[in-house]
Amino acid sequence: MKDNTPINGNDLLALGYPQTELLGIALKANKKRTGLTKVEMLAHYKMVLDNAEDYVNHKVFGKLATAIVEGVGLRIEEDIIPLKEEAVTYSIYGADHIEEGAIKQMQVAVKLPVAVTGALMPDAHQGYGLPIGGVLATENAVIPYGVGVDIGCRMALSIFDIKGVEFYGMEGLLKEQLVKHTKFGAGQGFQGQYKTQHDILDRGEFNLNPFIKNLQDKAWEQLGSSGGGNHFVEWGLMEFMERDEVLNIDKGTYLALLTHSGSRGMGATIAGRYTQIAKDICKLPYEAKNLAYLDLDSEAGQEYWAMMNLAGDYASACHEVIHDKLTKAIGAEVLAKIENHHNFAWKEMYQGKEVIVHRKGATPASKGVMGIIPGSMTAPGFLVRGKGEEEALNSASHGAGRQMSRTQAIKNLKAADIKAVLSDHGVELIGAGKDEAPMAYKDIHQVMAAQGDLVDVVAMFTPKIVRMADDGSRED
């Protein structure tokens, strides 16, 4: 029986391959592997490294050999900014259920020259640069990939004056209005009379430079729409086990609307541009290249900071439009509305000093601050109140977190099994791809148990009618 064990970066590092872009090129050669065992492949890898000229025309190793001959990843750039030899300290919550890749990414992040401290939330999984569920405090620097591609991605919750028992007579109306007033997925937006006017479109930051000005029309078109991937708009039941004095809501179950989305194409375009600018200015070692940062005193840093804040407020406006439309459509009164960013950077105080706190897929949880932590389409979400835990940089998880990559979910999960799980939980799903199946996510109860020191649970949300992008598509 052939040994099809995958070859990883550590295998190649052990052979003498440098931790540069050459490592990525080398790993791609493994995808063309046909009939060779791991031992045989590694033997070839070693010979290519030692005698690249002999392999330039090889069908499997040709590209790798050519890259070596051309010196790709072998030349040491003089302007590379070295990482710290000693990492700054960081805290991990729920370490037993966090994948190794996310921990390794965090270990690189806390060696950045600008790193002050960090924390890893229990829903953490591997991302680009900073892991999703990673929190990092830096000194006067912002990392575009520490914020994330979907700048200002956030949760918004409206709790209505409609008792839970009334939901079961309203399902038809709720579904109809949900479909009528929402749009999802890459490139989706509103045209003509269906566009919404909002003060966000008059913000002065749109005149900052031609780049952001050119995004204004697209922002108007997409205002009030939702992204692809894991973004959703859903009706559900919010249960308070006891009266909450701060919200002035009595014990009981209420109809609620929960939304998850970000700054759409505008945010993604800003992220792409300023990540590249950061990489051009701030050249870090290969393993840290996606953590390139901008000095906040620089022109590019100030531009990004202004645009990040604009994108965050735009994301909030998108949720406001959705909630206003649906509240009006069902003729309800809002008892309370709560929202929070979870892909953003804030200026905060840490041990008496101002730092830039990046929360990439993490919920702000300063003392008394409210947030929403969703589970999956069949698992409960939680309305929480922060405890202000300094070691966690006043943060909590932003959800259950993935236990299965999108590719794994699409490849391994069956539509019939997903349908059965939804039926068992009494959830009606409109849209979504297999990559958003409930089974792709960690156990939300396990995640919540790991962050008891970070937040108090105020109420529990149970999804009932869920809408997502029809094709499971990603952001623009």
Side-chain angles (χ1 to χ4, degrees), residues 183 187-202 206 212-225 263-267 310 314 317-318 321 325:
K183 284 207 173 214
Q188 293 298 310
F190 299 93
Q191 306 296 328
Q193 69 187 68
Y194 298 103
K195 287 183 177 180
T196 303
Q197 295 292 341
H198 194 283
D199 291 347
I200 190 70
L201 299 166
D202 300 323
F206 278 113
I212 191 69
K213 188 67 179 176
N214 287 336
L215 298 179
Q216 194 170 16
D217 286 344
K218 185 174 189 176
W220 185 18
E221 181 184 307
Q222 293 194 315
L223 184 64
S225 65
S263 50
R264 304 296 280 115
M266 182 176 83
L310 176 66
Y314 173 78
C318 284
V321 169
K325 282 181 179 178

Side-chain angles (χ1 to χ4, degrees), residues 56-327:
V56 168
N57 296 314
H58 195 279
K59 64 178 181 179
V60 175
F61 294 101
K63 284 187 178 179
L64 172 59
T66 301
I68 292 171
V69 169
E70 292 175 354
V72 174
L74 296 175
R75 290 186 289 268
I76 298 172
E77 294 190 53
E78 292 179 4
D79 55 351
I80 291 286
I81 299 168
L83 300 181
K84 291 179 179 178
E85 288 188 18
E86 290 289 322
V88 298
T89 58
Y90 73 101
S91 305
I92 305 182
Y93 298 85
D96 292 347
H97 304 288
I98 296 175
E99 64 187 13
E100 186 184 0
I103 292 173
K104 282 186 174 179
Q105 284 187 315
M106 198 68 204
Q107 288 169 342
V108 172
V110 291
K111 285 187 173 182
L112 288 176
V114 292
V116 176
T117 187
L120 201 55
M121 299 298 107
D123 62 335
H125 53 99
Q126 198 165 338
Y128 287 97
L130 198 62
I132 296 156
V135 184
L136 186 69
T138 59
E139 187 173 357
N140 201 47
V142 63
I143 306 165
Y145 261 168
V147 169
V149 173
D150 191 10
I151 300 170
C153 186
R154 66 198 288 116
M155 306 298 304
L157 170 74
S158 290
I159 304 167
F160 301 106
D161 64 339
I162 296 172
K163 295 288 184 173
V165 290
E166 297 176 57
F167 164 81
Y168 297 98
M170 298 177 65
E171 291 157 292
L173 170 69
L174 295 174
K175 181 180 176 182
E176 177 191 352
Q177 297 304 320
L178 181 58
V179 172
K180 182 178 178 180
H181 293 294
T182 59
K183 284 207 173 214
F184 281 84
Q188 293 298 310
F190 299 93
Q191 306 296 328
Q193 69 187 68
Y194 298 103
K195 287 183 177 180
T196 303
Q197 295 292 341
H198 194 283
D199 291 347
I200 190 70
L201 299 166
D202 300 323
R203 284 274 287 269
E205 292 94 323
F206 278 113
N207 298 312
L208 194 62
N209 59 29
F211 164 75
I212 191 69
K213 188 67 179 176
N214 287 336
L215 298 179
Q216 194 170 16
D217 286 344
K218 185 174 189 176
W220 185 18
E221 181 184 307
Q222 293 194 315
L223 184 64
S225 65
S226 305
N230 61 357
H231 294 155
F232 59 76
V233 179
E234 60 191 25
W235 298 106
L237 301 178
M238 179 64 71
E239 183 182 7
F240 287 79
M241 298 302 290
E242 56 186 43
R243 173 175 167 76
D244 189 85
E245 293 294 343
V246 177
L247 295 178
N248 192 28
I249 294 180
D250 287 329
K251 175 183 175 180
T253 303
Y254 303 84
L255 177 69
L257 176 69
L258 184 61
T259 53
H260 175 220
S261 194
S263 50
R264 304 296 280 115
M266 182 176 83
T269 307
I270 292 167
R273 177 181 173 87
Y274 283 88
T275 293
Q276 191 54 56
I277 289 172
K279 286 183 175 181
D280 291 342
I281 295 170
C282 174
K283 296 185 184 300
L284 293 168
Y286 177 74
E287 67 272 24
K289 66 178 182 177
N290 286 327
L291 292 166
Y293 50 86
L294 297 167
D295 188 312
L296 279 181
D297 292 332
S298 69
E299 184 179 0
Q302 289 173 10
E303 283 181 2
Y304 175 78
W305 190 261
M307 290 183 202
M308 179 196 74
N309 278 282
L310 176 66
D313 291 344
Y314 173 78
S316 179
C318 284
H319 286 268
E320 184 186 332
V321 169
I322 296 167
H323 283 248
D324 285 352
K325 282 181 179 178
L326 288 170
T327 299

Side-chain angles (χ1 to χ4, degrees), residues 29 155 269 353 430 434 451 464:
M155 306 298 304
T269 307
K353 178 181 176 182
I430 306 161
K434 289 199 291 184
Q451 56 186 349
K464 285 301 191 183

Side-chain angles (χ1 to χ4, degrees), residues 423-441:
S423 178
D424 288 346
H425 287 83
V427 174
E428 183 165 2
L429 176 62
I430 306 161
K434 289 199 291 184
D435 53 337
E436 284 304 315
M439 304 85 104
Y441 285 86

